[in-house]
Amino acid sequence: MAAMARAATTSDAFNAIAEPQRRDILALLRAGERPVTDLAQELGMSQPGASKHLRVLREVGLVRVREAGKQRLYGLDARGLRPVHEWLGGFERYWNESFDRLDTYVQDLKQTRQED
Amino acid sequence: MAAMARAATTSDAFNAIAEPQRRDILALLRAGERPVTDLAQELGMSQPGASKHLRVLREVGLVRVREAGKQRLYGLDARGLRPVHEWLGGFERYWNESFDRLDTYVQDLKQTRQED
DNA sequence: TTGACGTATTCCGATATGGGAATATGATGG
DNA sequence: CCATCATATTCCCATATCGGAATACGTCAA
């Protein structure tokens, strides 16, 4: 376990969804299960590309596979997104009035403006 | 514009918050502004480490700096988290009953459960 | 000025990414 | 068994990461 440069994409839901294409895949899967090729085509990526992304999503548990004869149907398992949502929940109260909360900040701004 | 290996951490709020330490910093900043050294110490990271993470957060707009004499006070700007929250919102309905939605999948599960 | 403090930057190394291309594996229907 | 379709894996490359160590920069107080 030598120095890790950046957390693996498979280490976290956070890391897994950092990649836009992966987010797109998840979004598409809300509509229902899909085979790899479908996804690849719909999202304009190569089949290997899609497979790779799906692998990551699978390892993080955001996606499940089901064998269906020749095909493998990928389905959404959104439970893994919950931790992310919960973490964000702790910030909801802040993103409307971030600055009002920073009491000192506001006063400072007022002063600064008057001083100029 | 040569091949990008992985999206820059500064390209997105998604990417910026993929790093646990960065998440910790943001969480701490909810309590109010803080100088770098404070954060570093409280989170058990080096000062340069903290500075680097703060740089990323600043570039993504999740954090604001204010000069206060010898110090630089960092404050939370949670507005940048909103896109992430909104994206996640599209999944809330799924993470409780992900499988019910996957019609075909469900039947499969029922079987599996009975087999256990 | 000088010293001391607070902070940012630079250089380094090890690591893993995502994309393209090629190829391997797998299952199906003749 | 073979050809074909569906999917996964491998190899290669350019890139950027995070961490540590050292150092540069900025500001204040005496």
Side-chain angles (χ1 to χ4, degrees):
Chain A
M1 50 190 63
M4 211 179 335
R6 187 172 171 183
T9 57
T10 58
S11 60
D12 232 20
F14 284 95
N15 280 279
I17 67 169
E19 162 69 67
Q21 312 227 58
R22 239 129 47 195
R23 262 176 275 147
D24 292 343
I25 290 182
L26 292 177
L28 255 188
L29 289 182
R30 281 182 302 197
E33 295 176 293
R34 293 253 200 154
V36 183
T37 317
D38 249 54
L39 293 169
Q41 195 182 350
E42 187 115 0
L43 297 175
M45 48 178 128
S46 71
Q47 175 269 309
S51 275
K52 287 174 190 169
H53 283 311
L54 285 166
R55 182 163 162 66
V56 173
L57 292 172
R58 207 189 333 145
E59 287 186 27
V60 181
L62 288 171
V63 139
R64 290 286 172 104
V65 214
R66 179 170 69 95
E67 317 273 341
K70 211 188 295 193
Q71 306 192 131
R72 313 195 70 201
L73 296 182
Y74 280 89
L76 178 63
D77 184 351
R79 290 174 297 181
L81 289 177
R82 205 156 185 177
V84 185
H85 185 260
E86 271 159 16
W87 183 79
L88 278 170
F91 292 89
E92 285 186 72
R93 337 164 14 208
Y94 297 94
W95 58 53
N96 290 313
E97 29 175 359
S98 289
F99 294 138
D100 301 354
R101 296 289 306 171
L102 305 178
D103 5 80
T104 355
Y105 200 92
V106 179
Q107 297 171 358
D108 207 63
L109 273 186
K110 285 178 186 162
Q111 280 198 345
T112 310
R113 279 177 193 145
Q114 289 176 347
E115 283 165 8
D116 288 333
Chain B
M1 48 193 75
M4 211 179 337
R6 187 171 172 183
T9 58
T10 56
S11 59
D12 233 21
F14 285 95
N15 280 280
I17 67 169
E19 162 71 66
Q21 312 227 60
R22 238 129 48 194
R23 262 175 276 147
D24 293 344
I25 290 181
L26 292 176
L28 256 188
L29 289 182
R30 280 180 303 196
E33 296 176 294
R34 293 252 200 154
V36 183
T37 316
D38 249 53
L39 293 169
Q41 196 182 347
E42 186 115 0
L43 296 176
M45 47 178 130
S46 71
Q47 174 269 308
S51 275
K52 286 174 190 169
H53 283 313
L54 285 166
R55 183 162 161 66
V56 173
L57 293 171
R58 208 190 332 143
E59 287 186 26
V60 181
L62 288 172
V63 140
R64 290 287 172 104
V65 214
R66 179 169 70 95
E67 318 273 339
K70 213 189 290 193
Q71 307 193 129
R72 310 195 71 200
L73 296 182
Y74 280 89
L76 178 64
D77 184 351
R79 291 174 295 180
L81 289 177
R82 207 156 184 178
V84 184
H85 186 260
E86 272 159 14
W87 182 79
L88 278 170
F91 291 89
E92 285 187 73
R93 338 164 13 207
Y94 295 94
W95 58 53
N96 290 313
E97 28 174 359
S98 289
F99 296 138
D100 302 353
R101 296 289 307 171
L102 305 178
D103 3 81
T104 354
Y105 203 92
V106 180
Q107 297 171 359
D108 213 55
L109 271 186
K110 284 179 187 161
Q111 282 198 345
T112 311
R113 278 179 193 144
Q114 288 175 348
E115 283 163 11
D116 288 334

